[in-house]
Amino acid sequence: MRERTSPSSSTPPCPRDGRVGSALAESALARHTPLTDLAGFHPWFAQLRADCYTETQQLPLDELAGWRTDADTGDLQHDSGRFFSVRGLDVEVADGPVPRWQQPIIYQPEVGILGLLVRRFDGVLHCLMQAKVEPGNQNGLQLSPTVQATRSNYTGVHRGRAVPYLEFFRGSGRTRLITDVRQSEQGSWFYQKRNRNMVVETTDDVPAAAGFCWLTLGQLHQLLQVEDLVNMDTRTVLSCLPWPGEELASRLPDADDFQASLLRSCSAAAGAVHALDEILNWITEIRSSAEVRTTPVPLRSLAGWQRQDGVIHHETGAFFDVIGVQVQAGGREVRQWSQPMIRPKDTGVIAFLASRIDGILHVLARCQVQPGCLDVAEVGPTVRCTPANWEHLPTGPPAFLKEVLGADPAQIRYDVLLSEEGGRFYRAVNRYVIVEVDAARTPEHPEFRWLALHQLADLLRHSHYVNVEARSLVACLRSLLGSDNP
Amino acid sequence: MRERTSPSSSTPPCPRDGRVGSALAESALARHTPLTDLAGFHPWFAQLRADCYTETQQLPLDELAGWRTDADTGDLQHDSGRFFSVRGLDVEVADGPVPRWQQPIIYQPEVGILGLLVRRFDGVLHCLMQAKVEPGNQNGLQLSPTVQATRSNYTGVHRGRAVPYLEFFRGSGRTRLITDVRQSEQGSWFYQKRNRNMVVETTDDVPAAAGFCWLTLGQLHQLLQVEDLVNMDTRTVLSCLPWPGEELASRLPDADDFQASLLRSCSAAAGAVHALDEILNWITEIRSSAEVRTTPVPLRSLAGWQRQDGVIHHETGAFFDVIGVQVQAGGREVRQWSQPMIRPKDTGVIAFLASRIDGILHVLARCQVQPGCLDVAEVGPTVRCTPANWEHLPTGPPAFLKEVLGADPAQIRYDVLLSEEGGRFYRAVNRYVIVEVDAARTPEHPEFRWLALHQLADLLRHSHYVNVEARSLVACLRSLLGSDNP
């Protein structure tokens, strides 16, 4: 493991004639390359974590430098009018379990870039990863994509340093675009937020700057087994990569049953329980019939929410708080700043039930209304909830939560605590779980469908189909390919 | 031509094993079938037009029974709170030719159904078409899909008759779904409106009720050469049909050069100038970089707009008016009603420049911001404008208008006047034009790309990519397959 490109990296990269599918497959299987080795990664990362101090101190919302509370509405806004704001939203979902509520929500209309720069070394695709501090991370440093930039970042509103490697995502250098799709973020906390998920391959001889390193997909998959290390932005970008199911299948002949079913699930040739048109019909039906109305309202006037001692919280103490923080950090564009953040009150559970159907792994996806969805509803995990919140709701726990929380350990294929975006959310940690079940014993429900992974990949070519929690789980599922765990 | 199904229709329909692509191809080529003949269609339609009287009388907006002007905002709303409303919109497009304006716009948040029921007779797919009166049509009766229903229609808010054949689109009968996708409508006049475009094949023995008839795709294509006959809803549903390019190519070996290039353009196997990922990247780039802000504002307060003598108009007299009408009609669910309508001030031009590139017909599509777009911008025609309006704007005429208006008649492949939706728009007629040009002599522009028809078909499987004007042109282009014209 080296911080900078090794001598082998200065050999000419593979010419463009190599198919990207093949390079992706090589990368997914590569755990040791001449360039990088995870045995070297961990000490390097530990050293950076020790060096990159970050101190986050909670401050009352009234005392955030650069931020003001609008006199009329109580909305929280930056003095520049940019970055983001915290406002109020009134939500009506005619037939939902809770037909009407109000809540604070983050407005961030600008489209940022989550960009992963990839390059072939000795024919194997490597991803340029950034060790990045975010104020909301409980452990400070996590592994981020090459570029994680809001529009304010790169138009200079931050008055910070230039974003390294951004130029590769703005058309400079010898590059080939692999993925470019806007995807939504947390529909419970963001109003219609989306970021551009980009993967760009370069043939330039790009050195890894301090705090950056080149890793293969196989190595990232191993790191996804580590608690709280691979950040949300990395997970969502990885999920949007096209996946070389056929290529991989031909390379893993000895995979066991779960592995083989997972591999087949990545390959369009394997088919699935439902044709893609049936899946699109299911989404269209839910989006057409749901009667959802979201109305911006003043943050000050939200029913059930109070601003007290510089914190906005729900009268039950549940859900989340809006808090203020002052951040001192090294390793970020701006060294000291203040901002509001969302602080969830408890750890959530984000889970897919998975099942081998005709030898192909399927996941039970739920198409569900969320207040921040641009287009009514998106396809999400089987379960996405904070169990503690349900004590405050009249509806009881969501479907299939029991199956996840009560799963026999032998059924659990993945179970790792991971953080949500540390730039807006303060210590938002979720337990990501994949549980294998028997589909034949799982009751049918109009909001749920069994999907193969290649179908999720088809949907992920387009915006607004697959929500951020399900995208994280897609990355987690793929990380089980070729692993020793299942 | 018969109004009801002929004896041959009671023979058992083709079993489900027949591939729909093959049935679609047969239908596209069929001009005469045992069931229908256009020689009989025209007298039948003329008779209906004579019988289905419709009288539309302009009334001041203050005198529309069942409608009220909101005391605070001046918005026009139905007493029930349903159907639609006319409100005000403030639009900012940072880098647009007009960076800011205000305008009236129609809000209709409910998703309606535009449904086409199809059935095979003697192996040939037929579409059940409805002769339907709409108050905005200058000629009253036009050819509509089987079902054209707002949610208010089928939830009974209209207190009218049940919508015939609606049950086939709600899961009843022996049906197979062919297409189900929500698509936007006029982004200049509607705020985020979309309808569900559905095509459903039945194997039931369905008789055609009075005012309905079974036509093949080939016959609909011939009728698309007739001025103001095939309505907008039919055109958009036809555009969303999957198109059997390969099937057709094998059946039309003697097609001439234009025909052959059009056929190849329908077949994914033929390829295209840009890969689909490049097209998605182009759309993503425009949607990400455009800074568009739309803010609802009171209709009463719109800068530049006046309500005078019961009509809302722009101070220049340009663009459109909002008028009131009282309608007396036979052949519609409710016999007499009043409503506001949008009345454009002049005839528009909606055109594709088309070019044979490597033997494959491409059209020059423009990805353009419109105020009513749910997702910033959609792919539209090369030219979509009302030439008379440009006299009132500082920017001069839009790109390529000159090429369309000044085209050599020998270059014109399609040129027919067609109406927009007659339920909301009063005599909104556009000249739909397809002009063949030399792509090599057409200047490049970041908002424009050459697309093959099979790529538009790929985009049309999903919502919010291709706008309604481009969808109409797709139907018009396909209507040139196997025709005698080009």
Side-chain angles (χ1 to χ4, degrees), chain B residues 14-271:
Chain B
C14 276
R16 287 226 182 171
D17 55 5
R19 286 174 49 224
V20 72
S22 168
L24 282 168
E26 294 288 354
S27 184
L29 301 178
R31 301 199 188 172
H32 313 283
T33 80
L35 186 60
T36 62
D37 190 319
L38 285 189
F41 170 85
H42 290 291
W44 170 78
F45 198 77
Q47 184 60 50
L48 277 174
R49 188 170 269 164
D51 293 348
C52 294
Y53 72 95
T54 173
E55 285 173 23
T56 305
Q57 186 192 347
Q58 194 177 335
L59 274 188
L61 290 169
D62 325 73
E63 295 175 23
L64 300 180
W67 290 81
R68 64 191 177 79
T69 300
D70 185 89
D72 292 331
T73 60
D75 294 352
L76 296 165
Q77 299 166 328
H78 194 256
D79 290 340
S80 68
R82 303 206 75 146
F83 301 117
F84 66 95
S85 56
V86 184
R87 306 188 191 180
L89 195 71
D90 180 86
V91 186
E92 290 175 85
V93 185
D95 297 316
V98 181
R100 185 165 185 179
W101 74 92
Q102 298 194 324
Q103 65 166 86
I105 201 157
I106 300 176
Y107 278 66
Q108 188 172 345
E110 297 173 343
V111 178
I113 292 178
L114 308 179
L116 186 63
L117 187 66
V118 302
R119 192 190 155 193
R120 300 184 202 194
F121 295 93
D122 297 330
V124 180
L125 209 106
H126 286 63
C127 306
L128 186 57
M129 305 306 298
Q130 181 183 179
K132 195 168 195 308
V133 170
E134 291 283 8
N137 295 343
Q138 59 185 356
N139 53 7
L141 205 69
Q142 295 197 7
L143 209 51
S144 155
T146 322
V147 163
Q148 189 179 318
T150 63
R151 199 178 167 86
S152 301
N153 271 138
Y154 60 81
T155 54
V157 184
H158 263 293
R159 279 172 289 159
R161 295 188 303 241
V163 177
Y165 305 106
L166 182 63
E167 64 273 18
F168 291 99
F169 302 90
R170 308 296 299 155
S172 304
R174 281 172 296 166
T175 56
R176 173 166 64 171
L177 186 78
I178 297 178
T179 295
D180 181 15
V181 59
R182 292 161 315 135
Q183 298 288 7
S184 65
E185 300 196 353
Q186 283 75 5
S188 300
W189 297 333
F190 275 122
Y191 189 69
Q192 301 185 352
K193 160 95 181 281
R194 46 267 181 93
N195 271 324
R196 200 166 166 179
N197 288 243
M198 299 182 80
V199 182
V200 167
E201 181 179 1
T202 184
T203 53
D204 284 353
D205 184 11
V206 180
F212 288 79
C213 68
W214 291 103
L215 295 175
T216 64
L217 289 172
Q219 291 172 328
L220 284 169
H221 289 167
Q222 288 186 279
L223 296 177
L224 266 166
Q225 316 308 317
V226 179
E227 190 170 306
D228 226 3
L229 175 56
V230 176
N231 81 0
M232 183 194 94
D233 294 339
T234 301
R235 301 193 304 265
T236 173
V237 175
L238 288 178
S239 78
C240 294
L241 263 178
W243 210 246
E246 286 81 357
E247 296 271 352
L248 281 167
S250 66
R251 279 176 169 77
L252 280 173
D254 298 330
D256 70 10
D257 264 0
F258 178 83
Q259 291 278 347
S261 74
L262 179 55
L263 272 174
R264 276 192 288 272
S265 188
C266 293
S267 165

Side-chain angles (χ1 to χ4, degrees), chain A residues 164-235:
Chain A
Y165 305 106
L166 182 62
E167 65 273 18
F168 292 98
F169 303 90
R170 307 298 298 157
S172 304
R174 280 172 297 165
T175 56
R176 172 166 64 169
L177 186 78
I178 298 178
T179 295
D180 180 15
V181 60
R182 292 160 316 136
Q183 297 289 5
S184 66
E185 299 196 354
Q186 283 74 7
S188 301
W189 297 333
F190 275 123
Y191 189 69
Q192 301 186 353
K193 160 94 180 281
R194 47 267 180 92
N195 270 324
R196 199 164 165 179
N197 288 243
M198 299 182 79
V199 182
V200 166
E201 182 179 0
T202 183
T203 53
D204 284 354
D205 184 12
V206 180
F212 287 79
C213 69
W214 291 102
L215 295 175
T216 64
L217 289 173
Q219 292 173 327
L220 285 170
H221 289 166
Q222 287 184 279
L223 297 177
L224 266 168
Q225 315 308 315
V226 179
E227 190 171 305
D228 227 4
L229 175 57
V230 177
N231 81 359
M232 183 193 95
D233 293 339
T234 301
R235 302 192 303 267

Side-chain angles (χ1 to χ4, degrees), chain A residues 82 87 95 110-111 151 154 169-170 177-178 180-182 192 194 196 198 276-278 280-291 293 374-376 458-459 461-465, chain B residues 82 87 95 110-111 151 154 169-170 177-178 180-182 192 194 196 198 276-278 280-291 293 374-376 458-459 461-465:
Chain A
R82 304 205 76 144
R87 307 188 190 182
D95 298 316
E110 296 173 344
V111 178
R151 197 178 170 88
Y154 60 81
F169 303 90
R170 307 298 298 157
L177 186 78
I178 298 178
D180 180 15
V181 60
R182 292 160 316 136
Q192 301 186 353
R194 47 267 180 92
R196 199 164 165 179
M198 299 182 79
L276 188 63
D277 278 329
E278 291 169 15
L280 294 175
N281 171 232
W282 166 61
I283 299 169
T284 299
E285 176 65 38
I286 287 174
R287 287 178 164 176
S288 301
S289 58
E291 291 196 54
R293 194 193 317 226
L374 178 76
D375 199 3
V376 187
D458 280 341
L459 297 178
R461 292 182 76 186
H462 307 281
S463 300
H464 312 311
Y465 274 127
Chain B
R82 303 206 75 146
R87 306 188 191 180
D95 297 316
E110 297 173 343
V111 178
R151 199 178 167 86
Y154 60 81
F169 302 90
R170 308 296 299 155
L177 186 78
I178 297 178
D180 181 15
V181 59
R182 292 161 315 135
Q192 301 185 352
R194 46 267 181 93
R196 200 166 166 179
M198 299 182 80
L276 188 63
D277 279 328
E278 292 169 13
L280 294 176
N281 172 232
W282 166 62
I283 298 170
T284 299
E285 176 66 37
I286 288 174
R287 286 178 165 175
S288 300
S289 57
E291 291 197 54
R293 194 194 314 230
L374 178 75
D375 198 4
V376 187
D458 280 341
L459 297 178
R461 291 182 76 187
H462 307 281
S463 301
H464 311 312
Y465 275 127

Side-chain angles (χ1 to χ4, degrees), chain A residues 16 25-26 43 48 62 64 68 89 96 107 113 135 245 354-355 359 379 414 420 433 454:
Chain A
R16 288 225 182 171
E26 294 288 354
L48 277 175
D62 325 72
L64 300 180
R68 63 192 179 80
L89 194 70
Y107 279 66
I113 291 178
S355 188
V379 174
Y414 187 90
E420 304 310 305
V433 189
H454 66 80

Side-chain angles (χ1 to χ4, degrees), chain B residues 263-335:
Chain B
L263 272 174
R264 276 192 288 272
S265 188
C266 293
S267 165
V273 171
H274 302 286
L276 188 63
D277 279 328
E278 292 169 13
I279 299 299
L280 294 176
N281 172 232
W282 166 62
I283 298 170
T284 299
E285 176 66 37
I286 288 174
R287 286 178 165 175
S288 300
S289 57
E291 291 197 54
V292 182
R293 194 194 314 230
T294 56
T295 314
V297 291
L299 185 59
R300 195 191 296 294
S301 73
L302 294 180
W305 294 82
Q306 291 159 355
R307 180 161 167 173
Q308 219 167 23
D309 303 328
V311 173
I312 297 171
H313 61 89
H314 194 258
E315 60 192 7
T316 59
F319 309 117
F320 59 85
D321 296 342
V322 182
I323 63 168
V325 295
Q326 185 178 54
V327 190
Q328 303 250 4
R332 211 183 188 286
E333 306 85 54
V334 179
R335 293 304 174 110

